Amino acid sequence: MAKITFIQPDGVTQVIEATVGQTVMEAAKTNDVPGIEAECGGACACATCHVYVAEEWREKAGAPSEMEEDMLDFAFDVREESRLCCQIKVTEDLDGAVFQVPAKQF
Amino acid sequence: MTTLQHGGGSGEPIETDVVIIGAGPVGLFAVFELGLLDIKCHLIDILDKPGGQCAELYPEKPIYDIPALPVVSGQELTDRLLEQIKPFEPTFHISERVDELERQPDGRFLLRSDAGTQFLTKIVVIAAGGGSFTPKRPPLPGIETYEGSSVFYSVRRMEDFRGRDILIVGGGDSALDWTLSLQPIANSLTLLHRRDDFRAAPHSVEKMRELVAAGKMRLMIGQMAGLQGSDGQLESVAVKTKEGEETLKIDRIMPFFGLTMKLGPVANWGLNLEENLIPVDTEKFETSEPRIFAIGDINTYPGKLKLILSGFHEAALMSQAAHRYVYPDKKLLFQYTTSSSNLQKKLGVR
Ligand SMILES: Cc1cc2nc3c(=O)[nH]c(=O)nc-3n(C[C@H](O)[C@H](O)[C@H](O)COP(=O)(O)OP(=O)(O)OC[C@H]3O[C@@H](n4cnc5c(N)ncnc54)[C@H](O)[C@@H]3O)c2cc1C
Ligand code: FES
């Protein structure tokens, strides 16, 4: 288990219990985190699971693959800390991680 | 042979037994099931190619749950379906959206596309999936007020861009192709992309870089932050880059952020809808309107799963019901393709 925090654009935070082996997107959907749309169900084909990784968690969350970078082109307001959270696997290392939900998924 | 028709004409409606709205995997397989029952089809899709979500959203990704195909990519599934339905000579109308559907006094339906093509058909099969593919709209405040006058997602008339200050946003083939075609007629052209890496064909990227080096256009790495203008006429665009914000004098924007599915015109045809889906029965997959069927991702019923496999089953059962409408006097004999010489003749294998 890993505790993961999502911060909404208006500042509201939500802490969820994620299971190791799931993706962060799946954990967010299971817990009804608003603003994570994930239209393609995690196939890295829609860019509607866009999140910003909090500064201190960027290294543990890792960098996007080439395929994910290509898909990030279809997201809005992409920043250096942008990830598609269907491409982040939950590990024990992510216990305590913080992700910010963007204002719009497009 | 499969016929592809681009754009359409106006004039006399095309008369046919069945029009299938949507050429996704389920619409394609419906051609097969209807074809076995001697029913000919026209298919219409807003995409520039058949295959629906499989061809547009995940052509190279693997699908593992198509019966008897342990793994197949979205594009390969589409290609195989096209091969399978070839004997039935369907006519495709691509890059066309069905906008209107009206029941006629004689019980048939008149359909009209955005390109002006008209169809007079006995049966309508709605295989519209998640709805028509539509360009994604950047979530900038007020952008909709500029659409069609200053903001364009496709080029209908090149002349609308002559002598203009054009901003093209994106990094794929559409963005690069339009950069290269519009640069010669623009007053100024700026290509804006979030990173200095492009998904487009390498030779177009190279050509674009040559134009930039020659001072004929500008490449900016950044993102749109806001639009300014009045009465639908755009005057400038705020662009956020690593260095800060810059305001560009722009009166034409072409944003290319891919496509998304929107229900679209299907909502205006007087059918019962439940959360943007069309309820059907599970015997015939018929909608609240007799002779209009809905199959694949667009329909809903107790236990519905949005799977290609379920859509194929729905196509088979729908076809039996369609047969009763098209040939009311003919008794339908249940047959296997393995053993029926009649079916094999239709498939061209005998
Ligand atoms: C990334 C991803 C992975 C998937 N993986 C699987 C999987 O492994 N297994 C599986 O079974 N399913 C999978 N699916 C789901 C599968 O792709 C859909 O169930 C399937 O595409 C539905 O087929 P369809 O023919 O009903 O609709 P679609 O494929 O959605 O096609 C509908 C077509 O209708 C067109 N259309 C709609 N309205 C109009 C109009 N008014 N005029 C003209 N054209 C119109 C659209 O443009 C579209 O091309 C996946 C989906 C995605 C996005
Ligand atoms: S869920 Fe579609 S890209 Fe992540």
Side-chain angles (χ1 to χ4, degrees):
Chain A
M1 282 294 201
K3 277 199 167 46
I4 292 182
T5 302
F6 288 89
I7 308 178
Q8 293 295 324
D10 60 5
V12 172
T13 67
Q14 182 178 355
V15 183
I16 66 163
E17 295 267 357
T19 309
V20 170
Q22 269 186 316
T23 66
V24 173
M25 178 280 281
E26 287 165 344
K29 289 300 274 185
T30 316
N31 290 280
D32 297 317
V33 175
I36 304 295
E37 291 170 15
E39 275 170 16
C40 78
C44 198
C46 73
T48 61
C49 62
H50 180 200
V51 291
Y52 303 119
V53 184
E55 179 69 48
E56 59 279 21
W57 289 96
R58 279 174 61 187
E59 208 181 303
K60 287 215 172 107
S65 66
E66 198 179 319
M67 174 177 76
E68 186 182 335
E69 277 288 1
D70 282 355
M71 210 56 219
L72 275 166
D73 283 354
F74 297 105
F76 197 74
D77 196 7
V78 179
R79 306 177 194 160
E80 239 169 276
E81 61 271 27
S82 288
R83 288 293 310 268
L84 297 176
C85 67
C86 70
Q87 301 299 304
I88 308 175
K89 273 255 186 301
V90 177
T91 58
E92 296 288 354
D93 277 358
L94 283 187
D95 190 29
V98 179
F99 298 98
Q100 174 132 23
V101 179
K104 286 264 170 68
Q105 291 285 5
F106 236 101
Chain B
M1 227 208 59
T2 304
T3 320
L4 271 184
Q5 291 194 354
H6 236 302
S10 30
E12 288 298 293
I14 298 167
E15 293 196 31
T16 176
D17 290 335
V18 174
V19 170
I20 302 176
I21 303 174
V26 177
L28 293 178
F29 193 64
V31 173
F32 184 85
E33 289 294 332
L34 289 164
L36 287 180
L37 307 183
D38 298 314
I39 303 174
K40 289 248 180 289
C41 315
H42 284 253
L43 294 108
I44 312 169
D45 204 300
I46 183 74
L47 286 182
D48 59 1
K49 53 183 177 285
Q53 295 176 43
C54 302
E56 178 60 32
L57 297 179
Y58 60 106
E60 280 152 27
K61 297 216 163 83
I63 311 172
Y64 298 103
D65 59 352
I66 304 297
L69 293 177
V71 56
V72 64
S73 73
Q75 189 56 50
E76 200 182 340
L77 179 77
T78 304
D79 293 343
R80 288 180 176 225
L81 283 166
L82 286 171
E83 189 188 331
Q84 193 169 25
I85 66 177
K86 228 186 213 162
F88 302 113
E89 304 176 350
T91 309
F92 285 89
H93 304 264
I94 58 170
S95 304
E96 280 189 58
R97 190 184 62 219
V98 181
D99 280 345
E100 291 165 39
L101 185 161
E102 280 163 31
R103 195 185 280 275
Q104 301 300 294
D106 66 359
R108 290 189 293 175
F109 300 94
L110 184 68
L111 275 69
R112 209 170 287 116
S113 82
D114 59 345
T117 314
Q118 301 194 69
F119 301 86
L120 206 46
T121 182
K122 294 177 189 155
I123 306 280
V124 176
V125 176
I126 304 179
S132 343
F133 274 102
T134 347
K136 282 204 208 164
R137 164 195 286 168
L140 293 169
I143 187 164
E144 49 309 326
T145 60
Y146 300 110
E147 286 172 355
S149 51
S150 297
V151 174
F152 295 89
Y153 300 95
S154 61
V155 177
R156 290 252 151 156
R157 293 180 341 127
M158 291 278 279
E159 279 312 300
D160 290 339
F161 293 82
R162 184 176 297 280
R164 298 293 177 170
D165 296 305
I166 306 173
L167 179 69
I168 293 182
V169 195
D173 281 313
S174 313
L176 270 288
D177 290 351
W178 284 113
T179 296
L180 300 178
S181 338
L182 294 176
Q183 185 277 328
I185 64 167
N187 180 52
S188 74
L189 189 138
T190 306
L191 174 64
L192 176 66
H193 186 41
R194 70 169 188 97
R195 54 181 178 141
D196 199 5
D197 244 325
F198 294 85
R199 306 182 312 281
H203 68 268
S204 1
V205 178
E206 212 171 288
K207 270 200 203 137
M208 178 274 294
R209 293 206 192 274
E210 282 167 19
L211 288 171
V212 173
K216 293 189 170 147
M217 61 166 280
R218 182 172 178 196
L219 170 64
M220 280 181 90
I221 306 303
Q223 298 175 77
M224 289 190 286
L227 311 174
Q228 296 88 36
S230 54
D231 299 329
Q233 298 305 316
L234 187 70
E235 284 151 21
S236 63
V237 179
V239 170
K240 220 165 48 182
T241 68
K242 270 212 169 102
E243 288 76 48
E245 213 170 281
E246 190 178 326
T247 302
L248 306 180
K249 186 177 156 282
I250 293 291
D251 53 14
R252 291 287 181 274
I253 304 185
M254 296 200 77
F256 293 108
F257 288 95
L259 303 176
T260 180
M261 298 190 98
K262 289 258 163 67
L263 183 60
V266 177
N268 312 328
W269 299 338
L271 299 166
N272 282 349
L273 290 179
E274 269 172 30
E275 294 183 23
N276 282 347
L277 298 168
I278 306 176
V280 290
D281 66 75
T282 49
E283 179 198 342
K284 308 185 294 288
F285 300 92
E286 200 164 17
T287 67
S288 55
E289 286 289 314
R291 293 173 179 261
I292 303 184
F293 297 86
I295 55 174
D297 278 13
I298 189 77
N299 74 14
T300 180
Y301 51 83
K304 167 74 182 183
L305 284 180
K306 285 190 189 182
L307 286 177
I308 296 166
L309 134 90
S310 315
F312 288 172
H313 159 81
E314 294 161 17
L317 266 55
M318 172 281 293
S319 300
Q320 300 283 315
H323 183 271
R324 272 171 250 142
Y325 284 126
V326 178
Y327 301 110
D329 304 327
K330 269 199 216 164
K331 196 167 174 291
L332 194 56
L333 194 65
F334 176 75
Q335 292 173 311
Y336 289 124
T337 53
T338 310
S339 42
S340 154
S341 54
N342 176 27
L343 293 185
Q344 290 177 1
K345 220 187 301 154
K346 296 177 198 176
L347 289 167
V349 290
R350 238 185 129 88

